Amino acid sequence: MKKGFITNRLRSGRKSIESTVERKMETIQGEKFVWIDLQNPDRNDVEKLAQKYNFNALNIEDCMTKFELPKLDSYDDHFFVILHFPPLAQKIAISKNSQLSIFVGKDFIVTVHQGDLKPLVELVDICKSDTDQQRKNKLLEKSSGLLLHEILDVLVDDLLHTSRKMIANLDEIEDRVFDETKPVARSIALLRREINRLRRIANPLKKFVLEIAKNVKRFSENEDDELVLYYDDVIDHIDKVIETLEESRETMEIYKDTDFVLSTEKTNKVLAVLTIIFTLAIPSTVIGTFYGMNVDLPGGIGSDSTILGPFTTFIVVIIASATPAIMMFAYFKKLGWISS
């Protein structure tokens, strides 16, 4: 397997972000709310917003922590949530998640992340420019709750896209499992780890999106039915992600067991051949051992036995070694230990 197989296949067609994301703070004014997006922020940026919108100090600490467990805290005028998603770029053999912290109130939404969530960065770019005016209007013309839905929707769709890429990896690994010339154990281990990592993201995500849907209704006017439908669609996509990952995990377990059985069978065949070769060599080894001793033996040095010429002893030794080896070979074949 080529180095980087898993990452390349899961993120095919996407350009990786290898360099450190620059610190950036974007303020986008909607019709009824303001969206503030902080990429790779420092503490001063977040603390200024905390003073302006009365954020809890513990939530600020959570924002600045590189890895915090998913959580949702609800207050009278806003709620705070931390979610995890797979980042676009990551180092080979190093598994990590990207953290997204969100503050949502009636007239504001604040997103804090490291800038490695490509779909979210693209949404910010759309809202800052006029390249897609229709999409921009859809994002900013209604409430903060609907904008939050759009953010979750694109991130969950990217997660769904990533989980479906597992199928391509599974197809390739299936071919490699039954190809004895290609090692596949490392490939299986890497993909199993990737599947488990996505499962740890997707399983709690459904619970928190349900809680978000309940809390966000407080900040939306006359949009309850529409919000329910929108968030139900996101939850449906999360269910598809979970279903795909569960199927992939079960398939990987089958491939792991199959590879183990085939590898064991191949090893047993090699050991059987070596054992047979060693067993057939025993007669010649025994005879050679006797004639290697410093004692007088028939046909040894100084013997006058020349029935078959000067090589009489050599010929006798070869015949004495080959005869029992041939007999053992025939017997093993009769028992079926040696396949035709």
Side-chain angles (χ1 to χ4, degrees), residues 71-73 79-83 100-104 208 212:
K71 63 180 292 186
L72 189 149
D73 294 333
F79 69 89
F80 169 74
V81 63
I82 291 179
L83 301 173
L100 173 62
S101 304
I102 310 174
F103 297 88
V104 183
F208 284 102
I212 289 172

Side-chain angles (χ1 to χ4, degrees), residues 83-87 96-100 113-117 197:
L83 301 173
H84 290 164
F85 294 94
K96 70 170 187 174
N97 300 331
S98 184
Q99 179 172 299
L100 173 62
H113 57 100
Q114 296 302 312
D116 53 0
L117 294 174
R197 183 175 73 90

Side-chain angles (χ1 to χ4, degrees), residues 12-284:
S12 60
R14 295 293 190 95
K15 187 176 181 180
S16 297
I17 303 176
E18 298 296 341
S19 58
T20 303
V21 179
E22 63 177 340
R23 174 189 168 199
K24 187 183 297 185
M25 180 175 177
E26 302 285 2
T27 301
I28 303 167
Q29 184 63 52
E31 293 187 10
K32 301 178 181 179
F33 63 93
V34 62
W35 178 17
I36 302 174
D37 180 74
L38 294 89
Q39 299 181 28
N40 195 25
D42 60 21
R43 181 173 292 274
N44 290 333
D45 295 332
V46 182
E47 287 181 348
K48 288 178 182 178
L49 291 175
Q51 294 176 359
K52 181 177 180 180
Y53 294 107
N54 193 30
F55 294 155
N56 189 295
L58 294 177
N59 295 151
I60 301 304
E61 291 297 327
D62 293 338
C63 282
M64 301 310 300
T65 303
K66 292 297 182 182
F67 183 82
E68 186 73 25
L69 292 176
K71 63 180 292 186
L72 189 149
D73 294 333
S74 183
Y75 304 96
D76 292 338
D77 58 343
H78 73 279
F79 69 89
F80 169 74
V81 63
I82 291 179
L83 301 173
H84 290 164
F85 294 94
L88 174 63
Q90 58 181 321
K91 295 181 179 179
I92 305 303
I94 298 179
S95 181
K96 70 170 187 174
N97 300 331
S98 184
Q99 179 172 299
L100 173 62
S101 304
I102 310 174
F103 297 88
V104 183
K106 184 175 182 179
D107 57 353
F108 68 87
I109 178 168
V110 178
T111 52
V112 183
H113 57 100
Q114 296 302 312
D116 53 0
L117 294 174
K118 185 68 172 179
L120 178 56
V121 174
E122 290 174 349
L123 279 186
V124 175
D125 291 340
I126 288 174
C127 292
K128 288 295 293 183
S129 64
D130 296 325
T131 55
D132 190 346
Q133 191 64 43
Q134 184 176 359
R135 184 79 188 281
K136 179 178 179 180
N137 293 338
K138 180 182 178 182
L139 291 170
L140 302 177
E141 69 183 0
K142 294 187 178 180
S143 65
S144 59
L146 284 174
L147 175 60
L148 178 58
H149 160 265
E150 290 293 331
I151 293 173
L152 295 177
D153 187 49
V154 295
L155 291 172
V156 170
D157 282 348
D158 187 69
L159 181 60
L160 181 60
H161 169 79
T162 301
S163 66
R164 285 175 174 171
K165 285 292 180 182
M166 291 290 177
I167 306 301
N169 288 273
L170 291 174
D171 290 342
E172 184 159 335
I173 285 183
E174 181 180 10
D175 295 336
R176 296 168 68 92
V177 165
F178 295 99
D179 187 347
E180 295 185 357
T181 63
K182 298 178 181 178
V184 73
R186 178 175 173 81
S187 305
I188 291 176
L190 287 174
L191 189 54
R192 287 181 68 203
R193 185 185 67 179
E194 187 70 17
I195 291 172
N196 288 332
R197 183 175 73 90
L198 294 179
R199 288 178 66 241
R200 289 195 296 269
I201 291 175
N203 286 329
L205 185 60
K206 179 179 179 180
K207 169 189 171 183
F208 284 102
V209 171
L210 287 170
E211 291 297 321
I212 289 172
K214 294 177 183 177
N215 280 273
V216 81
K217 291 179 182 179
R218 295 183 292 147
F219 312 122
S220 304
E221 299 175 357
N222 303 322
E223 296 173 350
D224 287 353
D225 294 338
E226 191 176 9
L227 276 175
V228 169
L229 292 176
Y230 285 160
Y231 280 93
D232 283 348
D233 181 66
V234 174
I235 293 169
D236 180 59
H237 287 181
I238 297 175
D239 285 334
K240 290 179 181 177
V241 171
I242 295 174
E243 181 181 351
T244 301
L245 293 175
E246 288 298 325
E247 292 177 356
S248 299
R249 185 175 67 90
E250 293 175 2
T251 304
M252 285 303 303
E253 292 299 321
I254 295 173
Y255 290 165
K256 183 197 72 170
D257 294 340
T258 302
D259 180 63
F260 176 76
V261 171
L262 293 177
S263 299
T264 303
E265 182 182 7
K266 183 179 179 180
T267 302
N268 290 340
K269 287 180 179 179
V270 173
L271 291 176
V273 172
L274 294 176
T275 302
I276 290 172
I277 293 173
F278 174 76
T279 304
L280 296 179
I282 288 176
S284 61

